Amino acid sequence: MSTAPPFPAADPLGEALHVLRMDGVFYCRSELGEPWGMTLPATPGCLWFHVVTSGGCRLTVDGEDDRVLRPGELVLVPRGTGHVLRSAPGVSAPDIRSIPHPMVDGRYALLRHGGDGPVTRMVCGAVRFSHPAAADLVDGLGDLVRVEPSPLGDRVQDTLRLLAAEIEHGGPGSDAVVTRLADVLVLQAVRGVLAGRRAARTGWLGALADDRIGRALAAVHREPEREWSLAVLAATAAMSRSAFSARFTELVGEPAMGYVTRWRMHAAAEFLSEGRGTVAHAAHRFGYRSEAAFARAFARVVGEPAGRVRRRGRTGAGSGFAAFGD
């Protein structure tokens, strides 16, 4: 089945963000009275974001110097590195999981913390790009992304203003509006960073921008189960087989058919972890006549047996964030 995105493939970053599928893991709307502080634990595989809507705070990532955050600023901690938020240097910063934070639903918390001083209001959260190939995108973002206030016409600032207004004046369903605006904000920031850092777009992510190789990559991403061959891929790119093969390897960093196998196994991992079928079903869906051959390819690419991925998906294990709902 085709999973083509609802926009033209000529938008390579849109294509990438669609394929990698961002899922919200945890959102927290906070009212923090000075003095206050909190530590957010390391969460590998997640991208943290923090938006200051009023007041201000200091951010320390991995023991580096503090960064002062003011209203209208957004920061991303792309690699899930542990970090600290506090009202002033030296203020105690307990683990956020030890601070009471009633959950509105399974992933949205309300947190009121600190003393009787001036109040800072923030929206914080963690999102995950669920596709295994997202590592290329996250690596391209670096250790910290800071989006400072910019001219009124900037789309990120438009979303920030909507978010701040919802926090100040929101009514019924406000939690749902806040989480969706937060998701839009993160995607806008990621898109802006990648668009401005062409040097950071390497591997398949960078190759999507190539007119011809990008066309072939987009086709594989949409239909990983199709019976691809070098000849079919070259035809998709409107190139000769030899020219396509050489250019694909140069831009992506691996041969075309090796890439197809790797992407196909990533898609199979999603299929299994979401409980959509057995290992035998996955083998058939992704073009393997033998379940054993599929299982060998899967273990080689993914690094663990297909059956284990399916069992973990069925039990819901491995989300890594259950502690935030305690």
Side-chain angles (χ1 to χ4, degrees):
M1 179 188 300
S2 173
T3 56
F7 41 73
D11 174 12
L13 289 181
E15 181 87 22
L17 292 173
H18 171 81
V19 167
L20 297 178
R21 279 192 4 202
M22 191 184 83
D23 298 315
V25 178
F26 173 72
Y27 302 88
C28 183
R29 191 170 73 182
S30 303
E31 294 183 5
L32 306 157
E34 295 182 11
W36 62 270
M38 56 187 178
T39 297
L40 293 100
T43 51
C46 287
L47 177 155
W48 275 100
F49 68 89
H50 302 290
V51 181
V52 178
T53 60
S54 64
C57 70
R58 292 174 176 266
L59 166 69
T60 308
V61 180
D62 205 18
E64 295 185 359
D65 292 342
D66 288 359
R67 293 169 172 84
V68 177
L69 306 183
R70 296 184 175 85
E73 289 192 76
L74 162 70
V75 293
L76 308 180
V77 185
R79 296 169 182 164
T81 308
H83 51 288
V84 178
L85 295 165
R86 49 166 61 99
S87 56
V91 173
S92 174
D95 190 306
I96 189 175
R97 292 169 295 187
S98 70
I99 302 170
H101 51 278
M103 303 296 291
V104 175
D105 60 27
R107 55 183 187 155
Y108 186 90
L110 297 173
L111 187 150
R112 293 179 174 87
H113 174 58
D116 298 324
V119 172
T120 289
R121 291 181 174 82
M122 300 181 67
V123 175
C124 306
V127 300
R128 177 185 290 122
F129 288 96
S130 59
H131 198 286
D136 287 346
L137 180 145
V138 172
D139 285 346
L141 294 175
D143 295 320
L144 183 74
V145 174
R146 183 169 179 166
V147 182
E148 299 183 31
S150 52
L152 290 177
D154 183 87
R155 283 175 288 185
V156 171
Q157 291 303 307
D158 290 342
T159 308
L160 276 167
R161 282 191 290 274
L162 287 172
L163 187 64
E166 189 62 35
I167 289 171
E168 293 293 329
H169 310 295
S174 182
D175 55 321
V177 175
V178 167
T179 57
R180 280 158 179 77
L181 286 173
D183 287 347
V184 170
L185 198 57
V186 172
L187 286 171
Q188 285 177 326
V190 169
R191 181 176 63 181
V193 171
L194 291 177
R197 292 187 192 170
R198 288 196 170 270
R201 290 162 56 184
T202 59
W204 69 268
L205 187 62
L208 275 172
D210 182 87
D211 248 4
R212 299 194 175 193
I213 301 303
R215 195 182 311 160
L217 284 169
V220 172
H221 296 168
R222 292 189 190 111
E223 298 183 279
E225 70 280 2
R226 184 174 169 184
E227 192 172 341
W228 294 105
S229 67
L230 191 59
V232 172
L233 289 169
T236 302
M239 298 174 72
S240 71
R241 287 178 55 176
S242 58
F244 172 81
S245 181
R247 185 156 182 78
F248 190 101
T249 302
E250 176 191 356
L251 293 180
V252 180
E254 65 180 306
M257 294 313 297
Y259 181 88
V260 168
T261 298
R262 185 162 64 88
W263 197 275
R264 188 173 278 157
M265 293 303 105
H266 289 331
E270 281 193 288
F271 177 86
L272 292 169
S273 65
E274 292 172 0
R276 289 189 275 157
T278 65
V279 175
H281 290 147
H284 177 73
R285 178 184 177 88
F286 292 100
Y288 284 78
R289 293 189 178 90
S290 159
E291 183 178 338
F294 168 80
R296 286 194 297 272
F298 187 97
R300 184 179 71 253
V301 172
V302 178
E304 59 181 324
R308 183 187 300 167
V309 171
R310 179 172 181 263
R311 287 191 298 273
R312 186 169 63 243
R314 291 178 67 193
T315 60
S319 67
F321 251 81
F324 279 90
D326 289 348

